[in-house]
Amino acid sequence: MKIRCNREHLADRLAQAARAASTRANLQSASHVRLTASSGETPVELAATDLEMTLRVPLDADVEQEGSVLLPAKIAPELIRALTGETVELSAGEDGRVLVTAGSSSYTLYGLPVDEFPQLPEIDHEHLFETDCSTFAEVVSRVKRAASRDESRPVLTGALVRFEQDRLIMAATDSYRLAVAEAPLAKAPPEALEAIIPVKAMEEVVRLAGSSTSPLSVAIGEGLVTFGIDGLWLSVRRIEGQFPNFTALRPEGIEHSITIAKDELLEVVKRVGIVVRQNTPVRAELSTGTLSLSARTADVAEGAESIPVAYDGAETIEIGFNHEFLRDGIESVPGDEVKLGLISSLRPALLESVDGTFWYVIMPIRI
């Protein structure tokens, strides 16, 4: 194998592919990026996998000799980027070694034999459909922070993604909060499809797409979900299991509701949050004409602020929230205003967009 290409282009593409490589010590072969060079119109391909997520990245290069090599994912992008000169050459040596030359620089990377690289899943071209990439990215951004990071509960580390005829719906929860977002779709699959997809993988899809205006290709298979854009392909295993019935978790019987400017509320929550330490709650008090937010950490600091609101209820409601969860919910609401709905100090609260396309349930903390 021997190729020649632009150095910065190779460094960028290697860095993209390396994000899917495994970081686990017991998966040494998966800690590499496979470079495959073919003649003809087929582009050079960089591929990496951690056995859950697989990423294929095209590379513009001149192929002098066909073949494949494995490049160490941890150091190859850094080395290529640090070299000087516009062009870099990669050629295969013996026993998995790869010779890298650029200008007067010459380095040898000690890779592994190509046949030790894990077998990659095929791209499901048969079931691909196209959808709007910017819409997908927008909905992911609304729900991703509510997903769990606890790997012992894999279902909650993903989001339920549902493609319907005219809209996209996503829901994510870590059992302490729940985010649900939807958006209209100009392009949709021929029939309704849904899957629990790892949030980490969807964030990577959004990162790869960047500001691209190309449509996003999606295929939802029995065990695998595939995304494609601008020649890049990401495949990820579906999360098996039963996602919570999120519609049943939306609070009913909300008796106290206000609409407030999003930016004003967010700035107050951020300032009050400065005095929060560890598990200290943010206390919210809704009374006639006023929403008060306060926090106190013993021997550190305390603070309180009030916002005038259009509320004339006879009952005063006091409720405690996790500061991070409250801030995340407010930041995720689209638009300039936020609707806050309360039932009691012991019942979940509801944050909602004015147009109803996003809602966020947050559990209270005892105060």
Side-chain angles (χ1 to χ4, degrees), residues 70-134:
L70 297 187
L71 303 170
K74 189 173 182 179
I75 69 167
E78 182 180 1
L79 173 62
I80 300 298
R81 197 176 301 281
L83 294 173
T84 58
E86 183 178 345
T87 304
V88 63
E89 182 179 284
L90 275 65
S91 57
E94 298 179 353
D95 302 323
R97 297 183 181 186
V98 181
L99 180 63
V100 180
T101 56
S104 61
S105 302
S106 178
Y107 288 82
T108 300
L109 296 175
Y110 299 124
L112 294 175
V114 176
D115 57 9
E116 294 186 17
F117 193 71
Q119 184 175 356
L120 302 182
E122 296 294 328
I123 298 172
D124 186 7
H125 290 283
E126 181 181 353
H127 297 101
L128 284 175
F129 65 91
E130 290 187 346
T131 192
D132 182 65
C133 185
S134 61

Side-chain angles (χ1 to χ4, degrees), residues 182-249:
E182 65 176 73
L185 283 178
K187 294 182 178 181
E191 59 181 4
L193 295 170
E194 73 172 38
I196 305 174
I197 305 175
V199 168
K200 176 185 175 182
M202 293 195 292
E203 288 180 305
E204 194 60 38
V205 171
V206 173
R207 187 193 308 273
L208 291 171
S211 58
S212 175
T213 57
S214 301
L216 178 67
S217 297
V218 184
I220 298 179
E222 291 188 5
L224 201 69
V225 180
T226 301
F227 299 94
I229 188 165
D230 295 334
L232 296 97
W233 293 96
L234 184 149
S235 301
V236 63
R237 292 182 184 274
R238 293 176 56 165
I239 298 176
E240 302 298 331
Q242 185 67 41
F243 195 84
N245 181 2
F246 62 88
T247 56
L249 297 176

